[in-house]
Amino acid sequence: MNFSEVFKLSSLLCKFSPDGKYLASCVQYRLVVRDVNTLQILQLYTCLDQIQHIEWSADSLFILCAMYKRGLVQVWSLEQPEWHCKIDEGSAGLVASCWSPDGRHILNTTEFHLRITVWSLCTKSVSYIKYPKACLQGIAFTRDGRYMALAERRDCKDYVSIFVCSDWQLLRHFDTDTQDLTGIEWAPNGCVLAVWDSCLEYKILLYSLDGRLLSAYSAYEWSLGIKSVAWSPSSQFLAVGSYDGKVRILNHVTWKMITEFGHPATINNPKIVVYKEAEKSPQLGLGCLSFPPPGAGAGPLPSSESKYEIASVPVSLQTLKPVTDRANPKIGIGMLAFSPDSYFLATRNDNIPNAVWVWDIQKLRLFAVLEQLSPVRTFQWDPQQPRLAICTGGSRLYLWSPAGCMSVQVPGEGDFAVLSLCWHLSGDSMALLSKDHVCLCFLETEASVSTACRQLGGHT
């Protein structure tokens, strides 16, 4: 495994282009576009203010930079560096900006979600969509780019409108049986739209493209409900993570639950492989010891190493006692992600924050558990194979595959705290993001990784 040099970064803004040729990163008000293979700077753009959001167009020819504080969006062209576009929302303000699937329209959401403005880069025309709902996941495009679903709020009631993206004509408009719609998401095949309610009521609804209600599912009542939702890439399964610490899997034939996965704090099944990260410091000679001055804080040893060890059952995982009288309690399934082949599902239970659970979807059972020394910040699957990358905010990167798992120290001056990561579409590399820097990690062949897994306490 090899690492590139470290580059400056601001606000964790770093994204690969959809075609995999470029890497865009932001440093305050500058946008830097590099060649992925050479890491040479291809373009350097200067924006009017500090960048708060970047997004590539689907064809990788344009990139938008949103400056929400100023209500501005600037668009840059890679083919014609001298061309640029500025969109000023003025007094209406700006809270969100995204591309349409064709890469030639930009959708801007104004402050207080008063409207969505659709700007055309080709004709310079402007369209308006009223009543967008202020929710975390209110816009969803089908994967083929033909349709957009929009969550709306009118007269104290929730609705969904489906638009044709080619001309922005309204295709369907229907009300939803929700108290406070929180999110919508299309199945990867674009045939079914999932709509779910706020955490105060457990309800998830499945609609067809023409607005027919296919099914409604509720696991229980009178308790905090849905926290996370994820479709499998095959569109055959819908995973629903709940505040009760369980994941429920719905099937695409009857839309009924086929199984539920619990996340107990103690694992007793001897068939489950539990990897525990263990920190090990190299032995130091007496002459190498240095004592900090009185009152100095004890920092981590820069030369410390970690490896995975296979724990013997029963295994008690570290739990967090949630503060239930505050908003957003640290309980329930906060993260869900299917592997690209739909064979595995990775989850994190927020009140067991150090653990990642990997489930075998074919056999509907727990496959492995990874317990880290620090709370898991994020994880992401390799786009090409069932290989999971994990970061915990420390200077290490963790990789899991069915062959085993490994811990890798990220080199660099000082501690490179990996706060987030994103895979290249080839699966051969990934960008590791810290607060102020980014570096690329180049992965070796699967055979080399499997060998390293065995050496680092992996399981084969």
Side-chain angles (χ1 to χ4, degrees), residues 300-437:
L301 290 173
S303 57
S304 62
E305 299 176 351
S306 84
K307 60 178 289 186
Y308 281 110
E309 297 176 347
I310 298 178
S312 301
V313 294
V315 180
S316 296
L317 304 174
Q318 299 181 44
T319 60
L320 181 70
K321 187 176 181 180
V323 182
T324 55
D325 59 349
R326 296 184 183 179
N328 302 316
K330 299 282 187 182
I331 57 174
I333 309 303
M335 291 179 64
L336 285 173
F338 279 94
S339 62
D341 55 10
S342 302
Y343 285 4
F344 297 100
L345 173 69
T347 62
R348 187 196 67 191
N349 189 1
D350 289 350
N351 52 303
I352 310 180
N354 293 20
V356 176
W357 309 65
V358 181
W359 306 86
D360 186 330
I361 297 301
Q362 287 187 313
K363 298 181 179 178
L364 298 177
R365 67 177 184 88
L366 182 60
F367 190 84
V369 178
L370 287 73
E371 186 178 28
Q372 311 297 135
L373 290 172
S374 303
V376 174
R377 288 187 62 94
T378 189
F379 52 72
Q380 197 175 109
W381 288 100
D382 181 333
Q384 300 298 327
Q385 58 180 296
R387 179 167 56 180
L388 187 69
I390 304 167
C391 68
T392 62
S395 59
R396 300 186 188 97
L397 171 68
Y398 308 94
L399 290 172
W400 175 90
S401 76
C405 53
M406 60 188 296
S407 167
V408 181
Q409 180 74 29
V410 180
E413 296 181 3
D415 282 338
F416 187 98
V418 185
L419 302 180
S420 186
L421 56 88
C422 59
W423 283 93
H424 187 270
L425 62 87
S426 67
D428 295 335
S429 62
M430 70 179 83
L432 306 180
L433 316 180
S434 74
K435 180 182 179 182
D436 301 312
H437 296 92

Side-chain angles (χ1 to χ4, degrees), residues 42-87:
L42 299 178
Q43 300 293 344
L44 182 62
Y45 305 105
T46 302
C47 293
L48 296 173
D49 204 338
Q50 182 167 342
I51 304 168
Q52 294 174 272
H53 172 70
I54 62 171
E55 187 174 325
W56 287 95
S57 62
D59 56 10
S60 303
L61 296 180
F62 298 93
I63 185 167
L64 72 79
C65 300
M67 291 143 277
Y68 297 138
K69 294 179 182 178
R70 292 272 297 268
L72 289 175
V73 172
Q74 288 186 268
V75 185
W76 307 97
S77 169
L78 263 69
E79 285 189 332
Q80 301 175 335
E82 68 279 357
W83 180 93
H84 70 278
C85 168
K86 184 181 78 169
I87 300 173

Side-chain angles (χ1 to χ4, degrees), residues 82-258:
E82 68 279 357
W83 180 93
H84 70 278
C85 168
K86 184 181 78 169
I87 300 173
D88 189 346
E89 291 291 348
S91 59
L94 182 67
V95 296
S97 182
C98 69
W99 285 103
S100 67
D102 66 359
R104 298 299 179 267
H105 294 81
I106 293 174
L107 284 70
N108 284 345
T109 305
T110 62
E111 285 187 346
F112 308 111
H113 286 73
L114 297 178
R115 67 172 186 243
I116 291 177
T117 309
V118 183
W119 300 83
S120 172
L121 297 186
C122 299
T123 65
K124 299 183 181 179
S125 62
V126 181
S127 305
Y128 299 100
I129 302 175
K130 295 181 179 180
Y131 313 115
K133 182 176 173 64
C135 57
L136 293 177
Q137 202 169 330
I139 297 179
F141 295 99
T142 55
R143 187 163 293 184
D144 61 11
R146 296 178 63 187
Y147 304 106
M148 179 188 80
L150 175 68
E152 299 179 353
R153 186 75 175 179
R154 306 186 187 192
D155 302 322
C156 302
K157 188 169 178 58
D158 292 327
Y159 294 86
V160 169
S161 288
I162 299 178
F163 295 87
V164 180
C165 293
S166 58
D167 55 9
W168 301 107
Q169 293 299 309
L170 181 65
L171 179 67
R172 289 288 185 272
H173 174 74
F174 53 91
D175 62 305
T176 62
D177 186 22
T178 51
Q179 297 295 323
D180 184 12
L181 189 156
T182 295
I184 59 176
E185 187 171 346
W186 289 102
N189 61 13
C191 295
V192 180
L193 179 70
V195 177
W196 59 95
D197 218 325
S198 74
C199 63
L200 298 180
E201 182 164 345
Y202 198 118
K203 183 181 290 184
I204 187 162
L205 309 166
L206 288 310
Y207 291 93
S208 64
L209 185 60
D210 59 5
R212 290 181 295 113
L213 178 63
L214 300 175
S215 183
Y217 177 75
S218 177
Y220 51 80
E221 294 180 333
W222 315 117
S223 187
L224 291 178
I226 297 172
K227 190 169 188 178
S228 54
V229 174
W231 284 99
S232 68
S234 65
S235 302
Q236 292 177 305
F237 304 106
L238 179 62
V240 183
S242 312
Y243 278 89
D244 67 347
K246 294 181 179 180
V247 176
R248 293 166 175 87
I249 306 296
L250 309 184
N251 75 86
H252 74 297
V253 179
T254 64
W255 300 114
K256 303 298 182 183
M257 186 186 75
I258 56 176

